[in-house]
Amino acid sequence: MISLRFQPSTTAGVLSASVSRAGFIKRCGSTKPGRVGRFVTMAMAATPLEICVKASITTPNKLGDCPFCQRVLLTLEEKRVPYDMKMVDLSNKPEWFLKISPEGKVPVVKFDEKWVPDSDVITQALEEKYPEPPLATPPEKASVGSKIFSTFIGFLKSKDSGDGTEQVLLDELSTFNDYIKENGPFINGEKISAADLSLAPKLYHMKIALGHYKNWSVPDSLPFVKSYMENVFSRESFTNTRAETEDVIAGWRPKVMG
């Protein structure tokens, strides 16, 4: 058994991970327990996968607010795959990053000496390369809840309370509520799957952004949506990879104010 120990790199803007047979995990130079230090025991020794993710814009050496980066990190955590996380300041992209991601987008993961972009492609590659535990969602269930994110953004950006965007979001959440009531606790039933790992970061952004900018929350009339969110947000993989609330708020500010 090995442990993954995260420590700040000497390179600005990069958080590197090193594999150690010691047990303690150290983030950002701190040895405090709780949210800063944690144990992550990985199964057999594999070279950690390198992944470039968005850096926090509020706190040095912290993960930023990209839901697509979190989706990939959730997949790595659920599959217990060791990874080396490199944090990129997307407002000032370094040259080394633009060489491996010419479009300047995250996440990108290095598979067999090749940098691969796009969370859809990356998570599919992870499923093929690391089949256990299986996370693939049956095709007929893969799109469940997929319209929630776009309808959340529409409501968030709306400046007219009577334009119907809130109702469109509520309709999508109601459909999801009914689905989870009949098929839950997860999209594919008893076990978490790739569809949950894609949706959960978006629901997290919805909760924080709408709570801050609209003073809005999921209504009590949708109890299965609320329980689903609580269930997924409380998983260790999620708490290990979620962005700080301040970063989510700051990340959506241009959409709201623009």
Side-chain angles (χ1 to χ4, degrees):
M1 302 292 288
I2 62 173
S3 296
L4 190 64
R5 186 179 64 197
F6 293 86
Q7 290 183 318
S9 166
T10 54
T11 304
V14 176
L15 185 68
S16 294
S18 58
V19 177
S20 167
R21 295 194 180 274
F24 194 72
I25 294 170
K26 186 177 176 186
R27 283 186 187 270
C28 307
S30 174
T31 56
K32 293 180 181 179
R35 294 192 312 138
V36 178
R38 63 183 176 87
F39 285 95
V40 179
T41 304
M42 298 299 177
M44 234 351 263
T47 302
L49 287 180
E50 294 181 68
I51 175 172
C52 295
V53 296
K54 182 181 180 180
S56 167
I57 61 176
T58 66
T59 310
N61 294 325
K62 295 285 280 186
L63 181 66
D65 64 302
C66 173
F68 306 100
C69 291
Q70 190 184 12
R71 175 192 182 186
V72 174
L73 293 173
L74 282 169
T75 305
L76 291 166
E77 290 268 343
E78 289 287 341
K79 288 183 173 291
R80 314 301 286 174
V81 176
Y83 56 92
D84 174 350
M85 190 162 53
K86 301 182 184 299
M87 297 187 180
V88 181
D89 179 355
L90 295 184
S91 66
N92 184 26
K93 302 179 183 76
E95 281 190 30
W96 65 263
F97 173 65
L98 291 173
K99 287 180 180 177
I100 62 178
S101 179
E103 294 184 355
K105 294 181 179 180
V106 289
V108 286
V109 172
K110 193 176 186 180
F111 290 111
D112 302 320
E113 302 306 313
K114 180 181 179 181
W115 287 97
V116 176
D118 191 301
S119 63
D120 285 338
V121 177
I122 293 168
T123 52
Q124 180 61 41
L126 289 172
E127 187 64 32
E128 294 171 359
K129 192 174 180 69
Y130 305 97
E132 296 295 331
L135 294 175
T137 311
E140 66 274 14
K141 299 180 180 180
S143 63
V144 171
S146 62
K147 295 181 181 179
I148 293 173
F149 192 53
S150 61
T151 56
F152 140 60
I153 295 173
F155 178 38
L156 179 67
K157 293 170 65 177
S158 170
K159 294 182 170 38
D160 178 0
S161 60
D163 65 1
T165 53
E166 179 182 7
Q167 189 59 51
V168 173
L169 172 60
L170 286 170
D171 289 346
E172 289 299 327
L173 290 173
S174 180
T175 298
F176 186 68
N177 185 81
D178 293 344
Y179 177 88
I180 293 298
K181 179 181 179 180
E182 297 298 325
N183 301 280
F186 299 109
I187 289 173
N188 194 32
E190 291 298 321
K191 293 185 177 180
I192 201 164
S193 72
D196 302 294
L197 304 186
S198 177
L199 179 60
K202 299 167 184 175
L203 292 175
Y204 180 67
H205 279 239
M206 180 190 75
K207 176 183 177 181
I208 293 173
L210 290 180
H212 180 80
Y213 290 108
K214 298 278 191 179
N215 194 29
W216 186 95
S217 61
V218 175
D220 291 340
S221 59
L222 301 175
F224 291 93
V225 173
K226 297 181 79 167
S227 63
Y228 175 86
M229 291 168 64
E230 291 169 3
N231 189 10
V232 180
F233 294 172
S234 66
R235 291 179 73 85
E236 182 182 13
S237 61
F238 198 93
T239 60
N240 290 344
T241 59
R242 68 188 176 196
E244 297 293 324
T245 298
E246 295 77 13
D247 272 300
V248 176
I249 291 170
W252 287 104
R253 185 169 291 118
K255 296 262 186 200
V256 177
M257 302 305 180

